[in-house]
Amino acid sequence: MEISLKNIWEWITKSIVFIIVVAIIFGIGGYVYNQYFVDPVYEARVKFYANGLGTMENNPEYGVAVAPQYVEFLNGEAFQEIVSKDLLKDTGVNLSPAEIAGMLSFSSVVEETSTFYATVHSSDPKLAYNVALSVAEKAPERVKKIVNDGGELTATEFPKLPTHSIGSSSLKIALLGALLGFFLAAFAVVLKEIFDNSIKTPDEITQLFDIPVFGTVPDFSANNKKGEK
């Protein structure tokens, strides 16, 4: 059996109600799942600038060269433990270095600059802010302690208390769910028609068996428009 775009379009339009219902169900399911079963994620970020022996104007190449090293100094258990202790002292929140590591990440150095970012993610906006603030305060101290050639690290943008989660909105998830449901239902309809071997019209007999159709027997059990049999 040859399948054309016209066939597919006819199959889909014939079952459009079923397809729309499935799309709506998927959309509602996506909305409910994202709204009630997915924890929101909040982000707090610090912008750092690496320099040394004075100001950036005097040593721009130095900052570009050492910034990746500073990222390595901070991206380890020793610094995570420092943040953990500082957080406990300032806020009373007790997080292990491993928990800090799961929340904290450092970006790659921005190309041809001496700038990089520290980003903290948490389901608690205040916790994300407090950890990021601790990183902003302790990272320069950590770098200064390790580097003995005058290198410095400066926090140029301090974190702000996040007010909105960074995850996908429930409406967006609902729309994506509806689209997924629509295409899955349409695919199921097309697949069903492809594997349906029954003959539905006289023309199919001629196409399949190359024999003429001399006539058809009407369905006498069906009611006509006048309600007669």
Side-chain angles (χ1 to χ4, degrees):
M1 179 182 177
E2 294 183 1
I3 300 172
S4 64
L5 291 177
K6 182 180 178 181
N7 295 135
I8 295 175
W9 175 253
E10 289 175 351
W11 296 337
I12 290 175
T13 52
K14 184 178 66 173
S15 303
I16 192 64
V17 174
F18 165 75
I19 294 173
I20 291 176
V21 169
V22 172
I24 292 174
I25 292 173
F26 270 70
I28 294 175
Y31 179 88
V32 171
Y33 178 78
N34 190 72
Q35 188 75 12
Y36 299 103
F37 296 97
V38 176
D39 292 331
V41 177
Y42 295 90
E43 178 181 280
R45 192 169 71 162
V46 186
K47 183 178 181 180
F48 287 109
Y49 150 64
N51 63 328
L53 303 177
T55 64
M56 179 177 64
E57 289 77 15
N58 293 334
N59 301 280
E61 296 85 3
Y62 180 90
V64 174
V66 299
Q69 299 176 23
Y70 292 178
V71 173
E72 290 301 316
F73 294 158
L74 302 174
N75 197 18
E77 187 176 355
F79 180 67
Q80 293 154 10
E81 187 170 353
I82 292 173
V83 174
S84 174
K85 292 178 179 179
D86 183 66
L87 189 68
L88 179 61
K89 183 183 70 173
D90 290 346
T91 66
V93 177
N94 188 13
L95 294 180
S96 67
E99 290 174 313
I100 296 292
M103 301 168 61
L104 174 63
S105 63
F106 291 91
S107 71
S108 300
V109 178
V110 179
E111 187 176 359
E112 300 302 326
T113 72
S114 56
T115 299
F116 63 92
Y117 294 89
T119 305
V120 179
H121 292 120
S122 173
S123 58
D124 182 345
K126 190 173 182 180
L127 180 60
Y129 169 76
N130 286 331
V131 172
L133 190 61
S134 179
V135 171
E137 294 173 350
K138 293 301 178 181
E141 296 178 9
R142 172 67 175 169
V143 169
K144 190 173 182 178
K145 184 176 181 180
I146 296 176
V147 179
N148 297 317
D149 59 0
E152 295 180 348
L153 182 67
T154 304
T156 57
E157 290 183 10
F158 281 80
K160 298 178 181 178
L161 182 65
T163 56
H164 301 287
S165 64
I166 63 171
S168 300
S169 68
S170 296
L171 180 59
K172 182 179 179 180
I173 294 297
L175 291 175
L176 291 175
L179 285 174
L180 177 63
F182 182 91
F183 285 112
L184 286 177
F187 178 74
V189 166
V190 172
L191 205 62
K192 175 179 175 297
E193 293 290 344
I194 290 175
F195 288 98
D196 186 359
N197 296 323
S198 61
I199 297 174
K200 300 178 183 63
T201 65
D203 291 338
E204 290 183 14
I205 297 176
T206 301
Q207 293 175 2
L208 293 172
F209 302 105
D210 194 23
I211 57 176
V213 177
F214 295 105
T216 59
V217 178
D219 185 359
F220 292 105
S221 64
N223 295 335
N224 60 22
K225 293 182 181 180
K226 297 180 181 179
E228 299 175 352
K229 288 190 175 181

